[in-house]
Every structure is written in structure tokens, then in C-alpha cells.
């Protein structure tokens, strides 16, 4: 007897597959026309599918109603996405990029990241009640790294190609990749101090020297240096092995394209087993893997890696929208909602922008003041912050007295959980809407000004559809009206739509829409200006040989994407 099986597996597959399918139908419109990031759209979709709304995704049930298990799932998911993203980020950088641009990266990763950490800590200390500065630095360390997942949304696509120089794109990618792994020292310095000298001076052993020793030995030695060495070694060995196999024709195309992603999975697993920094190891391995630029050049025109990247991004932000503690932003015992809102505003404005603006003269990739403002503002908080959040929660739960979590650690758990999640949501929303709102703010005043300046006494009222009978002047033989003083021998070019709104698509016609004839006259239809050439000129253009066409031939494929069509043929 057939039954309706509304089990979680079926619901997850149907929900995720349906969303990706529907989003794919309008992805070009949203991403390249309206400049909306897929992270923002996926986050909102996750909220709609979550138990707070339609209850199609049920993260608590997947984790057996265990908050710690749910946090572990989120941590591992974040590790997977960051690992793949950082290997791909390292691969897409030019040859020997870290070696050539070490000065600029040193400024951004050294004083830049330190100031971001301290400023955020000061803001948290100012807005969150009953918290000391050391505990505030823990929250600041979680959100100090810029997120490589969200950074990709502002350095890829049509907006980035038009407005951001390539060298500026590269430095943003390199910084966001490197500072993710370098967040460990900023995080574990206050954590070790809280563990050993916190709780009103009655910490684990009340010795700051023990905390500093653990910070240098475990964090810098075992976590940072070991991961750099391991990542460089694995990346270089993988590069040599792939060269060897490719020269002997041992590897097929599919395995060649998936090699970088498989390398990321291998590093995540092996470095995770030894307990080192798998995030930093992935980024270093990606740089070492394409040190000679061979793999990057061979795969730069292939869409397999960006496709996997897009699927992971969409999936992780849908998950974030489903597991985010939306209700706890307004209902928590540590910070009121109005303080959270002001904290989010000040963090986005002061965390990164002032220090980048102060240093931009010494970073040769940032050539203009507006570029400094752009790089300073677009330092998103995203997947990396959630990654460090759950590492922090795991560490704090281990600070116990008589088998119970120490009171100061328990309070800090709630603070860091609410504040970091809220800052992530703020960053995804604000940075996701900044580009479209900026474009709207630039386009709308100019459009209104142009419309007002073009208004005349005989122009139609706003929102009025002009007909042929509304055009003043005498009626011509073809049914159109011309204005007084216009030569009646002039006519509209054959390739112009009669209502003068858009050109009729003509592929390889060789006939320009706007004539360069200096004797051409201009007629107005509505608010549009159309250039009309003489009849003889039209006849000459119409009989021009096809070999004079400057329109490049379309690719030899049946499907035509909108960005491959000539500029005059896009509907």
C-alpha cells in the first residue's frame, strides 16, 4: 500500500534540490543584474525552510536534540567548506604570489588583523554587560578573519570584472585565505589566559606563564608552523605527481579537474586527525600546488571547480539559516537586542575600515582612496567566524570545576554564541545588499535628473504610454509623425524598432544603430533620441557586404548564454 514517506532524508533532498533548481533559473538575473550574493539568498532560504517557518529542515532532529552534537555537525560542515574554498583560493592566485606580495600581505595580516581583533574586542567590551576585556577579546578573535566564502562573492562576477582591478582582487583573495588559518593565535591567547588565570584569579593554576607557554608551544608551534610545513609539502608533492602522470597520459580529464578538490579533502582529513590547523594547511597547499602556474592556466576556462564551489556555498548558508538562533537574539540573558544592533553597526564600520584606510598608502594594490574604502568595508564575517565560534565553545566546555563548567566560562559561552551569530547575520545581509544598494543610489538620482531635465511643455504626463497620435507634427507616409523642421526625406533606419525603444535583434548585419554621418538629423520619440540618416545612407548600409561586420562569431554551441550575445542583440 503506497504511503507518504515524509522522512528527513526525503525532505532534505527535495528542499535542497528544489531550491538550487529554482535559483538556477534566475541566477543570472539575481547575481549579474541585481548583484545579489548567493550567500544572502541561501541564508534567507534556510530561514524559510527552518523550524522557525515551514519546518522542512529540522537540524535539531538530525542531531537527536543534542545542542553539542548540532554544534559538532556545524563545525565539520564549516571545515569542509573552508577547506575546499581555501585550496581553490590558493590555486586561483598567480604563480609565486605569496612570495612576491609578502609585504602587502604582512601589513594586512600583521597590524591589520591585530587592530581588527582589538577594535572588535573593545566594542564587545563596551556593549556587552558583565564581561571583562579578556573575555571580549575571545569574541573579537572569532570575527577578526575575513571570510573567503563571502569574499568570493565580491571578487567574482560582472561587477568585480568591471569595477575591481585584477591585482586588487588577488590581494583580497590572498588575505581572506591566509587570515582564516591565522585566527588561531588571536583566539587561543585569551582562551589560555581565561583557563589559567580567569575566574577572579582562581583559574586552573593561576599562572600566566603556563598560558603563554601553551600559546607559543601548542598554538604557534604545533598548530600554525606544522600546518604550514605540512600544507606546503603536500601541495608540492601533489603538483609533481600530477605533472608526472599528465606527461605519461595516465590521468583523464575528469580526474585532472577534480584533483584540487580531492587534495582539499585529503588535507582536511589528515590534518584534522593530528589536531593541527587544517584551514591554513589547505590554503598553503593550494599555493604550493600551483606554484608554477601550470594547473591554474590549464583549468581557468573550466567551470567544474566554480560549480562545486557554488553548491557548497549554497548548502552551507542554507544550513546556517536553519541552525541560526534567531529567537535568542531577542530572548537571551546576556545582551538586549538594541545593544546587539548598535554593536553590529559599529563593528561593520570600525572593525576594518579605519586600519585599512590608514595603511593603504603602503599597499601598492590599493591605488585610490575609493579602493581603500572598498577594501576596508568589504571585510565580511561568515563561515570562518562560525568555525571559530564552535572551536571556542568546545574549548570553554572543557574548563570545569568539580565536574561542572566554570561559571565564567558558562557565561562566556552564551555571550560568544549570541554575539558571533548576530555579527555573521549582519555581515551577510549588509555586505550582500551593499553593491545593489550602491548601484541603486548611483543610478536612481541620475535617472531622475535626466528625466526631469528632458521634460518639455509638450511632453506627456508621467507613466503615460505615448502613441503615434501623441507625437506633434505632420503625419508621414509610413504612419509616423515628424516634428516641424525635420526633413521629410529622412526616415527611421530599417533596423530600429518602430516605437524607438530598442533595436530589432540583427546578428552580423553590419548595420550600425547610430549613424556616423555628420549630416544626420535627430528625431525624438517620447524621451528617447534616435539618429536618422538619409535614405541614400540607409540604402548603402543595407547593401553593405557581410564581411564588414564587426560582430564576433558566436561559439560553436547550440545554447547561447546571455553574456555571449553581442551587445545589440540582448533582449
Amino acid at each position: 500500500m503506497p504511503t507518504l514517506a515524509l522522512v528527513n532524508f526525503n525532505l532534505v533532498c527535495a528542499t535542497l534540490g528544489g531550491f538550487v533548481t529554482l535559483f538556477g533559473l534566475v541566477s543570472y538575473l539575481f547575481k549579474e543584474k541585481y548583484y545579489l550574493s548567493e550567500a544572502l539568498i541561501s541564508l534567507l532560504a534556510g530561514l524559510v525552510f527552518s523550524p522557525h517557518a515551514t519546518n522542512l529542515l529540522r537540524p535539531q532532529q538530525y542531531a537527536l536534540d543534542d545542542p553539542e552534537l548540532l554544534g559538532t555537525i556545524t563545525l565539520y560542515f564549516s571545515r569542509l567548506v573552508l577547506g575546499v574554498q581555501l585550496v581553490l583560493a590558493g590555486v586561483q592566485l598567480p604563480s609565486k604570489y605569496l612570495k612576491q606580495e609578502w609585504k602587502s600581505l604582512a601589513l594586512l595580516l600583521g597590524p591589520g588583523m591585530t587592530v581588527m581583533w582589538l577594535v572588535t574586542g573593545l566594542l564587545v567590551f563596551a556593549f556587552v554587560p558583565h564581561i571583562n576585556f579578556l573575555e571580549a577579546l575571545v569574541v573579537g578573535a572569532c570575527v577578526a578573519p575575513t571570510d573567503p566564502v563571502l569574499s568570493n562573492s565580491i571578487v567574482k562576477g560582472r561587477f568585480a570584472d568591471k569595477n575591481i582591478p585584477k591585482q586588487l582582487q588577488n590581494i583580497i583573495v590572498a588575505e581572506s585565505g591566509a587570515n582564516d588559518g591565522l585566527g588561531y593565535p588571536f583566539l587561543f591567547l585569551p582562551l589560555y589566559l581565561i583557563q589559567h588565570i580567569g575566574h577572579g584569579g582562581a583559574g586552573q593554576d593561576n599562572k600566566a606563564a603556563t598560558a603563554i607557554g601553551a600559546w607559543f608551544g601548542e598554538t604557534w608551534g604545533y598548530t600554525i608552523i606544522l600546518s604550514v610545513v605540512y600544507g606546503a609539502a603536500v601541495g608540492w608533492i601533489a603538483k609533481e605527481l600530477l605533472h608526472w602522470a599528465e606527461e605519461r597520459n595516465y590521468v583523464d580529464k575528469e580526474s585532472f579537474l577534480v584533483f584540487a578538490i580531492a587534495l582539499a579533502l585529503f588535507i582536511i582529513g589528515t590534518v584534522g586527525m593530528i589536531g593541527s590547523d587544517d584551514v591554513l594547511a589547505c590554503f598553503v597547499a593550494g599555493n604550493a600546488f600551483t606554484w608554477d602556474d601550470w594547473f591554474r592556466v590549464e583549468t581557468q576556462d573550466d567551470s567544474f571547480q566554480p560549480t562545486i564551489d557554488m553548491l557548497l556555498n549554497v548548502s552551507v548558508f542554507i544550513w546556517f539559516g536553519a541552525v541560526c538562533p534567531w529567537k535568542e537574539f531577542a530572548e537571551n540573558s546576556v545582551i538586549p537586542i538594541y545593544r546587539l544592533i548598535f554593536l553590529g553597526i559599529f563593528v561593520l564600520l570600525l572593525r576594518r575600515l579605519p586600519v585599512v584606510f590608514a595603511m593603504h598608502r603602503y599597499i601598492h594594490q590599493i591605488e585610490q582612496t575609493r579602493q581603500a574604502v572598498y577594501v576596508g568595508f568589504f571585510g565580511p564575517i561568515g563561515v570562518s567566524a562560525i568555525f571559530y565560534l564552535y572551536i571556542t565553545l568546545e574549548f570553554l566546555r572543557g574548563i570545569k570545576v568539580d565536574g561542572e563548567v566554570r561559571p565564567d566560562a558558562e557565561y562566556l559561552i552564551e555571550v560568544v554564541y549570541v554575539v558571533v551569530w548576530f555579527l555573521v547575520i549582519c555581515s551577510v545581509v549588509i555586505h550582500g545588499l551593499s553593491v545593489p544598494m550602491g548601484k541603486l543610489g548611483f543610478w536612481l538620482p541620475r535617472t531622475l535628473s535626466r528625466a526631469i531635465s528632458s521634460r518639455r511643455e509638450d511632453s506627456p504626463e508621467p507613466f503615460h504610454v505615448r502613441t503615434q497620435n501623441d507625437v506633434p507634427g505632420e503625419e508621414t507616409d509610413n504612419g509616423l509623425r515628424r516634428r516641424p523642421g525635420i526633413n521629410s526625406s529622412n526616415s527611421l533606419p530599417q533596423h530600429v524598432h518602430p516605437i524607438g525603444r530598442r533595436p530589432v535583434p540583427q546578428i552580423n548585419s553590419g548595420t550600425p544603430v547610430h549613424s556616423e554621418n555628420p549630416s544626420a538629423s535627430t528625431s525624438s520619440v517620447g524621451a528617447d533620441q534616435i539618429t536618422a540618416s538619409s535614405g541614400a545612407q540607409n540604402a548603402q548600409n543595407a547593401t553593405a557586404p557581410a564581411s564588414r561586420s564587426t560582430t564576433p562569431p558566436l561559439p560553436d554551441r547550440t545554447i547561447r548564454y546571455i553574456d555571449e550575445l553581442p551587445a545589440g542583440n540582448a533582449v
Side-chain angles (χ1 to χ4, degrees), residues 472-542:
E474 300 177 359
E475 185 173 356
T476 59
D477 296 336
N478 57 7
L480 294 178
R481 288 179 175 268
R482 58 179 177 84
R483 295 187 183 276
I486 302 296
N487 188 354
S488 61
S489 63
N490 292 342
S491 60
L492 292 175
Q494 296 178 2
H495 59 276
V496 177
H497 195 279
I499 63 173
R501 287 298 178 185
R502 64 185 182 190
V504 177
Q506 292 189 0
I507 299 179
N508 295 336
S509 64
T511 305
V513 175
H514 298 286
S515 173
E516 297 179 358
N517 183 11
S519 62
S521 59
T522 302
S523 62
S524 299
V525 180
D528 296 336
Q529 297 292 326
I530 300 178
T531 303
S533 58
S534 64
Q537 183 68 26
N538 291 336
Q540 181 180 359
N541 289 340

Coordinates of all heavy atoms in Angstrom, one line a residue, residues 472-542:
P472 N 3.8 65.4 -31.8 CA 3.4 66.6 -32.5 C 4.1 66.6 -33.9 O 5.2 66.1 -34.1 CB 3.9 67.7 -31.6 CG 5.0 67.1 -30.8 CD 4.6 65.7 -30.6
G473 N 3.4 67.2 -34.9 CA 4.0 67.3 -36.2 C 3.1 66.7 -37.2 O 2.0 66.2 -36.9
E474 N 3.5 66.7 -38.5 CA 2.8 66.2 -39.6 C 2.9 64.7 -39.7 O 4.0 64.2 -39.4 CB 3.2 66.9 -40.9 CG 3.0 68.4 -40.9 CD 3.5 69.0 -42.1 OE1 4.0 68.3 -43.0 OE2 3.4 70.2 -42.3
E475 N 1.9 64.0 -40.2 CA 2.0 62.6 -40.4 C 2.7 62.3 -41.7 O 2.4 62.9 -42.8 CB 0.6 62.0 -40.4 CG 0.6 60.5 -40.5 CD -0.8 59.9 -40.3 OE1 -1.7 60.7 -40.1 OE2 -1.0 58.7 -40.4
T476 N 3.6 61.3 -41.7 CA 4.3 61.0 -42.9 C 3.7 59.8 -43.6 O 2.7 59.2 -43.1 CB 5.8 60.6 -42.5 OG1 5.8 59.6 -41.6 CG2 6.5 61.8 -41.9
D477 N 4.3 59.3 -44.7 CA 3.7 58.2 -45.4 C 3.7 56.9 -44.7 O 2.8 56.1 -44.9 CB 4.4 58.1 -46.8 CG 4.3 59.3 -47.7 OD1 3.3 60.0 -47.5 OD2 5.1 59.6 -48.5
N478 N 4.7 56.7 -43.8 CA 4.8 55.5 -43.1 C 4.0 55.4 -41.8 O 4.1 54.5 -41.1 CB 6.2 55.1 -42.8 CG 6.9 56.2 -42.0 OD1 6.3 57.1 -41.6 ND2 8.3 56.0 -41.9
G479 N 3.2 56.5 -41.6 CA 2.3 56.4 -40.4 C 2.9 57.1 -39.2 O 2.2 57.3 -38.3
L480 N 4.2 57.4 -39.2 CA 4.9 58.1 -38.1 C 4.7 59.6 -38.3 O 4.5 60.1 -39.4 CB 6.3 57.7 -38.1 CG 6.6 56.3 -37.7 CD1 8.2 56.0 -37.8 CD2 6.1 55.9 -36.4
R481 N 4.8 60.3 -37.2 CA 4.7 61.8 -37.2 C 6.1 62.3 -37.0 O 6.9 61.8 -36.3 CB 3.8 62.3 -36.1 CG 2.3 62.0 -36.4 CD 1.4 62.5 -35.2 NE 0.0 62.3 -35.5 CZ -0.7 63.2 -36.1 NH1 -0.2 64.4 -36.4 NH2 -2.0 63.0 -36.4
R482 N 6.4 63.4 -37.7 CA 7.7 64.0 -37.6 C 7.5 65.4 -37.0 O 6.4 66.0 -37.2 CB 8.4 64.1 -39.0 CG 7.6 64.9 -40.0 CD 8.3 65.0 -41.4 NE 7.6 65.6 -42.4 CZ 7.5 66.9 -42.6 NH1 8.1 67.7 -41.7 NH2 6.7 67.4 -43.5
R483 N 8.5 65.9 -36.4 CA 8.4 67.3 -35.8 C 8.6 68.3 -36.9 O 9.3 68.0 -37.9 CB 9.5 67.5 -34.7 CG 9.2 66.6 -33.5 CD 10.2 66.9 -32.4 NE 10.0 66.0 -31.3 CZ 9.1 66.2 -30.3 NH1 8.3 67.2 -30.4 NH2 9.0 65.3 -29.3
P484 N 8.1 69.5 -36.7 CA 8.3 70.5 -37.7 C 9.8 70.8 -37.9 O 10.5 70.9 -36.9 CB 7.5 71.7 -37.1 CG 6.5 71.1 -36.2 CD 7.2 69.9 -35.7
G485 N 10.2 71.1 -39.1 CA 11.6 71.4 -39.3 C 12.5 70.2 -39.7 O 13.7 70.4 -40.0
I486 N 11.9 69.0 -39.6 CA 12.7 67.8 -39.9 C 12.5 67.5 -41.4 O 11.3 67.5 -41.9 CB 12.2 66.6 -39.0 CG1 12.4 66.9 -37.6 CG2 13.0 65.4 -39.4 CD1 13.8 67.2 -37.2
N487 N 13.5 67.2 -42.1 CA 13.4 66.9 -43.5 C 12.6 65.6 -43.7 O 12.8 64.6 -43.1 CB 14.9 66.6 -44.1 CG 14.9 66.5 -45.6 OD1 13.8 66.5 -46.2 ND2 16.0 66.5 -46.2
S488 N 11.5 65.8 -44.5 CA 10.6 64.7 -44.7 C 11.3 63.5 -45.5 O 10.7 62.4 -45.4 CB 9.4 65.2 -45.5 OG 9.8 65.6 -46.8
S489 N 12.4 63.8 -46.1 CA 13.0 62.7 -46.8 C 13.8 61.7 -45.9 O 14.1 60.6 -46.2 CB 14.1 63.2 -47.8 OG 15.1 63.9 -47.2
N490 N 13.9 62.2 -44.6 CA 14.6 61.3 -43.7 C 13.6 60.3 -43.1 O 12.4 60.7 -42.9 CB 15.2 62.2 -42.5 CG 16.3 63.0 -42.9 OD1 16.9 62.8 -44.0 ND2 16.6 64.1 -42.2
S491 N 14.0 59.2 -42.8 CA 13.2 58.1 -42.3 C 14.0 57.4 -41.2 O 15.2 57.4 -41.2 CB 12.7 57.2 -43.3 OG 13.8 56.6 -44.0
L492 N 13.3 56.6 -40.4 CA 14.0 55.8 -39.4 C 14.7 54.7 -40.1 O 14.3 54.1 -41.1 CB 13.0 55.3 -38.4 CG 12.3 56.3 -37.5 CD1 11.2 55.6 -36.7 CD2 13.3 57.0 -36.6
P493 N 15.9 54.3 -39.6 CA 16.6 53.2 -40.1 C 15.8 51.9 -40.0 O 15.0 51.8 -39.1 CB 17.9 53.1 -39.3 CG 18.0 54.5 -38.7 CD 16.6 55.0 -38.6
Q494 N 16.0 51.0 -41.0 CA 15.1 49.8 -41.0 C 15.4 48.9 -39.8 O 14.5 48.1 -39.5 CB 15.4 49.1 -42.3 CG 15.0 49.8 -43.6 CD 15.4 49.0 -44.8 OE1 15.9 47.9 -44.7 NE2 15.1 49.6 -46.0
H495 N 16.6 49.0 -39.2 CA 16.9 48.1 -38.1 C 16.4 48.6 -36.8 O 16.7 48.0 -35.8 CB 18.4 47.9 -38.1 CG 19.2 49.1 -37.9 ND1 19.5 50.0 -38.9 CD2 19.7 49.7 -36.8 CE1 20.2 51.0 -38.5 NE2 20.3 50.8 -37.2
V496 N 15.7 49.8 -36.7 CA 15.2 50.4 -35.5 C 13.8 50.0 -35.3 O 13.0 50.1 -36.2 CB 15.4 51.9 -35.5 CG1 14.8 52.5 -34.2 CG2 16.9 52.2 -35.6
H497 N 13.4 49.6 -34.1 CA 12.1 49.2 -33.8 C 11.2 50.5 -34.0 O 11.6 51.6 -33.6 CB 12.0 48.8 -32.3 CG 10.7 48.0 -32.0 ND1 9.6 48.7 -31.7 CD2 10.4 46.7 -31.9 CE1 8.6 47.9 -31.4 NE2 9.1 46.6 -31.6
P498 N 10.0 50.3 -34.5 CA 9.1 51.5 -34.8 C 8.9 52.4 -33.6 O 8.7 53.6 -33.8 CB 7.8 50.9 -35.3 CG 8.2 49.5 -35.9 CD 9.4 49.1 -35.0
I499 N 8.7 51.8 -32.4 CA 8.4 52.7 -31.3 C 9.7 53.3 -30.7 O 9.6 54.1 -29.8 CB 7.7 52.0 -30.2 CG1 8.6 50.8 -29.6 CG2 6.4 51.4 -30.7 CD1 7.9 50.2 -28.4
G500 N 10.8 53.0 -31.3 CA 12.1 53.7 -30.9 C 12.6 53.3 -29.5 O 13.4 54.0 -28.9
R501 N 12.2 52.2 -29.0 CA 12.6 51.8 -27.6 C 13.8 50.9 -27.6 O 14.6 51.0 -26.7 CB 11.4 51.1 -26.9 CG 10.3 52.1 -26.5 CD 10.8 53.1 -25.5 NE 9.8 54.0 -25.2 CZ 10.0 55.1 -24.4 NH1 11.2 55.4 -24.0 NH2 9.0 55.9 -24.2
R502 N 13.9 50.0 -28.5 CA 15.1 49.1 -28.5 C 15.3 48.6 -30.0 O 14.4 48.6 -30.8 CB 14.9 47.9 -27.6 CG 13.7 47.0 -28.0 CD 13.5 45.9 -27.0 NE 12.5 45.0 -27.4 CZ 11.9 44.1 -26.6 NH1 12.4 44.0 -25.4 NH2 11.0 43.3 -27.0
P503 N 16.5 48.3 -30.3 CA 16.8 47.8 -31.7 C 16.3 46.4 -31.9 O 16.3 45.6 -31.0 CB 18.3 47.9 -31.7 CG 18.8 47.7 -30.3 CD 17.7 48.4 -29.5
V504 N 15.9 46.2 -33.1 CA 15.5 44.8 -33.5 C 16.7 44.0 -33.6 O 17.7 44.4 -34.2 CB 14.7 44.9 -34.9 CG1 14.4 43.4 -35.3 CG2 13.5 45.7 -34.7
P505 N 16.8 42.8 -33.0 CA 18.0 42.0 -33.0 C 18.4 41.6 -34.4 O 17.6 41.1 -35.2 CB 17.6 40.8 -32.2 CG 16.4 41.2 -31.3 CD 15.7 42.2 -32.1
Q506 N 19.6 41.9 -34.8 CA 20.1 41.6 -36.1 C 21.6 41.1 -35.9 O 22.4 41.8 -35.4 CB 20.2 42.8 -37.0 CG 18.8 43.2 -37.5 CD 18.9 44.2 -38.6 OE1 20.0 44.6 -39.0 NE2 17.7 44.7 -39.0
I507 N 21.8 39.8 -36.1 CA 23.1 39.2 -35.9 C 23.9 39.3 -37.2 O 23.4 38.9 -38.3 CB 23.0 37.8 -35.5 CG1 22.2 37.7 -34.2 CG2 24.3 37.1 -35.4 CD1 22.0 36.3 -33.7
N508 N 25.1 39.9 -37.1 CA 26.0 40.0 -38.2 C 25.4 40.8 -39.4 O 25.6 40.5 -40.6 CB 26.5 38.6 -38.7 CG 27.3 37.9 -37.7 OD1 27.9 38.5 -36.9 ND2 27.3 36.6 -37.8
S509 N 24.6 41.8 -39.1 CA 24.0 42.6 -40.2 C 25.0 43.6 -40.7 O 24.8 44.1 -41.8 CB 22.8 43.3 -39.6 OG 23.1 44.2 -38.6
G510 N 25.9 44.1 -39.9 CA 26.9 45.1 -40.3 C 26.3 46.5 -40.4 O 27.0 47.4 -40.8
T511 N 25.1 46.7 -39.9 CA 24.4 48.0 -40.0 C 24.5 48.6 -38.6 O 23.8 48.1 -37.7 CB 23.0 47.9 -40.5 OG1 23.0 47.2 -41.7 CG2 22.4 49.2 -40.6
P512 N 25.2 49.7 -38.4 CA 25.2 50.3 -37.0 C 23.9 50.9 -36.7 O 23.1 51.4 -37.6 CB 26.3 51.3 -37.2 CG 26.3 51.7 -38.6 CD 26.0 50.4 -39.4
V513 N 23.6 50.9 -35.4 CA 22.3 51.5 -35.0 C 22.4 53.0 -35.0 O 21.5 53.7 -35.4 CB 22.0 51.1 -33.5 CG1 20.8 51.8 -33.0 CG2 21.8 49.6 -33.5
H514 N 23.5 53.6 -34.7 CA 23.7 55.0 -34.7 C 24.6 55.4 -35.9 O 25.8 55.0 -35.9 CB 24.3 55.6 -33.4 CG 23.4 55.3 -32.3 ND1 22.2 56.0 -32.0 CD2 23.4 54.4 -31.3 CE1 21.6 55.6 -30.9 NE2 22.4 54.6 -30.5
S515 N 24.1 56.2 -36.8 CA 24.9 56.5 -38.0 C 26.0 57.6 -37.6 O 25.7 58.4 -36.7 CB 24.0 57.1 -39.1 OG 24.8 57.6 -40.1
E516 N 27.1 57.5 -38.2 CA 28.2 58.5 -38.0 C 28.2 59.6 -39.1 O 29.1 60.4 -39.1 CB 29.5 57.8 -38.0 CG 29.7 56.8 -36.9 CD 31.0 56.1 -36.9 OE1 31.8 56.3 -37.8 OE2 31.3 55.3 -36.0
N517 N 27.1 59.6 -39.9 CA 27.0 60.7 -40.9 C 26.8 62.0 -40.2 O 25.9 62.2 -39.5 CB 25.8 60.3 -41.8 CG 25.7 61.3 -42.9 OD1 26.6 62.1 -43.2 ND2 24.5 61.2 -43.6
P518 N 27.7 63.0 -40.5 CA 27.6 64.3 -39.8 C 26.3 65.0 -40.2 O 25.9 65.9 -39.5 CB 28.9 65.0 -40.2 CG 29.3 64.3 -41.5 CD 28.9 62.9 -41.4
S519 N 25.8 64.7 -41.3 CA 24.6 65.4 -41.8 C 23.3 64.7 -41.3 O 22.2 65.2 -41.7 CB 24.5 65.5 -43.3 OG 24.5 64.2 -43.9
A520 N 23.4 63.7 -40.5 CA 22.2 63.0 -40.0 C 21.5 63.9 -39.1 O 22.0 64.7 -38.3 CB 22.6 61.7 -39.3
S521 N 20.1 63.8 -39.1 CA 19.3 64.6 -38.2 C 18.8 63.7 -37.1 O 18.8 62.5 -37.2 CB 18.1 65.1 -39.0 OG 17.4 64.0 -39.6
T522 N 18.3 64.4 -36.0 CA 17.9 63.7 -34.8 C 16.4 63.9 -34.6 O 16.0 65.1 -34.6 CB 18.6 64.2 -33.6 OG1 20.0 64.0 -33.9 CG2 18.2 63.4 -32.4
S523 N 15.6 62.9 -34.5 CA 14.2 63.0 -34.2 C 13.9 62.4 -32.8 O 14.6 61.5 -32.4 CB 13.4 62.2 -35.2 OG 13.7 60.9 -35.2
S524 N 12.9 62.9 -32.1 CA 12.6 62.5 -30.8 C 11.3 61.7 -30.8 O 10.3 62.1 -31.4 CB 12.4 63.7 -29.8 OG 13.6 64.4 -29.8
V525 N 11.4 60.5 -30.2 CA 10.1 59.8 -30.0 C 10.0 59.5 -28.5 O 10.8 58.8 -27.9 CB 10.2 58.4 -30.7 CG1 9.0 57.6 -30.5 CG2 10.4 58.6 -32.2
G526 N 9.0 60.1 -27.8 CA 9.0 60.1 -26.4 C 10.1 60.8 -25.8 O 10.4 61.9 -26.1
A527 N 10.9 60.1 -24.9 CA 12.1 60.7 -24.2 C 13.3 60.2 -24.8 O 14.4 60.5 -24.4 CB 12.0 60.4 -22.7
D528 N 13.3 59.3 -25.9 CA 14.5 58.7 -26.5 C 14.9 59.5 -27.7 O 14.1 60.1 -28.4 CB 14.2 57.3 -26.9 CG 13.8 56.4 -25.7 OD1 14.3 56.8 -24.6 OD2 13.2 55.4 -25.9
Q529 N 16.2 59.6 -27.9 CA 16.8 60.2 -29.0 C 17.2 59.2 -30.0 O 18.0 58.3 -29.7 CB 18.0 61.1 -28.6 CG 17.7 62.2 -27.6 CD 16.9 63.3 -28.3 OE1 17.1 63.5 -29.5 NE2 16.0 63.9 -27.6
I530 N 16.8 59.3 -31.3 CA 17.1 58.3 -32.3 C 17.8 59.1 -33.5 O 17.2 60.1 -33.9 CB 15.9 57.6 -32.8 CG1 15.3 56.8 -31.6 CG2 16.2 56.6 -33.9 CD1 14.0 56.1 -32.0
T531 N 18.9 58.6 -34.0 CA 19.6 59.3 -35.1 C 19.1 58.7 -36.4 O 19.1 57.5 -36.6 CB 21.1 59.0 -34.9 OG1 21.5 59.5 -33.7 CG2 21.8 59.7 -36.1
A532 N 18.6 59.6 -37.2 CA 18.1 59.2 -38.5 C 19.0 59.6 -39.6 O 19.3 60.8 -39.7 CB 16.7 59.7 -38.7
S533 N 19.5 58.8 -40.5 CA 20.4 59.2 -41.6 C 19.6 59.3 -42.8 O 18.4 59.0 -42.9 CB 21.5 58.1 -41.7 OG 20.9 56.8 -41.9
S534 N 20.2 59.7 -43.9 CA 19.5 59.9 -45.1 C 19.1 58.6 -45.8 O 19.7 57.6 -45.4 CB 20.4 60.7 -46.1 OG 21.5 60.0 -46.4
G535 N 18.2 58.7 -46.7 CA 17.7 57.5 -47.4 C 18.9 56.8 -48.2 O 19.0 55.6 -48.2
A536 N 19.7 57.6 -48.8 CA 20.8 57.1 -49.5 C 21.8 56.3 -48.6 O 22.3 55.3 -48.9 CB 21.6 58.2 -50.3
Q537 N 22.0 56.9 -47.4 CA 22.9 56.3 -46.4 C 22.3 55.0 -46.0 O 23.0 54.0 -45.8 CB 23.1 57.2 -45.3 CG 24.1 56.7 -44.2 CD 25.5 56.6 -44.8 OE1 25.9 57.4 -45.7 NE2 26.3 55.6 -44.3
N538 N 21.0 54.9 -45.8 CA 20.3 53.7 -45.4 C 20.5 52.6 -46.4 O 20.7 51.4 -46.1 CB 18.8 53.9 -45.1 CG 18.6 54.8 -43.9 OD1 19.5 54.8 -43.0 ND2 17.5 55.5 -43.8
A539 N 20.3 53.0 -47.7 CA 20.4 52.0 -48.7 C 21.9 51.5 -48.8 O 22.1 50.3 -49.0 CB 20.0 52.7 -50.1
Q540 N 22.8 52.4 -48.6 CA 24.2 52.0 -48.6 C 24.5 51.0 -47.5 O 25.2 50.0 -47.6 CB 25.2 53.2 -48.5 CG 26.6 52.8 -48.5 CD 27.5 54.1 -48.4 OE1 27.0 55.2 -48.3 NE2 28.8 53.9 -48.4
N541 N 24.0 51.3 -46.3 CA 24.2 50.4 -45.1 C 23.5 49.1 -45.4 O 24.0 48.0 -45.0 CB 23.6 51.0 -43.9 CG 24.5 52.2 -43.4 OD1 25.7 52.3 -43.8 ND2 23.9 53.1 -42.6
A542 N 22.3 49.1 -46.0 CA 21.5 47.9 -46.2 C 22.2 47.0 -47.2 O 22.1 45.7 -47.1 CB 20.1 48.2 -46.7

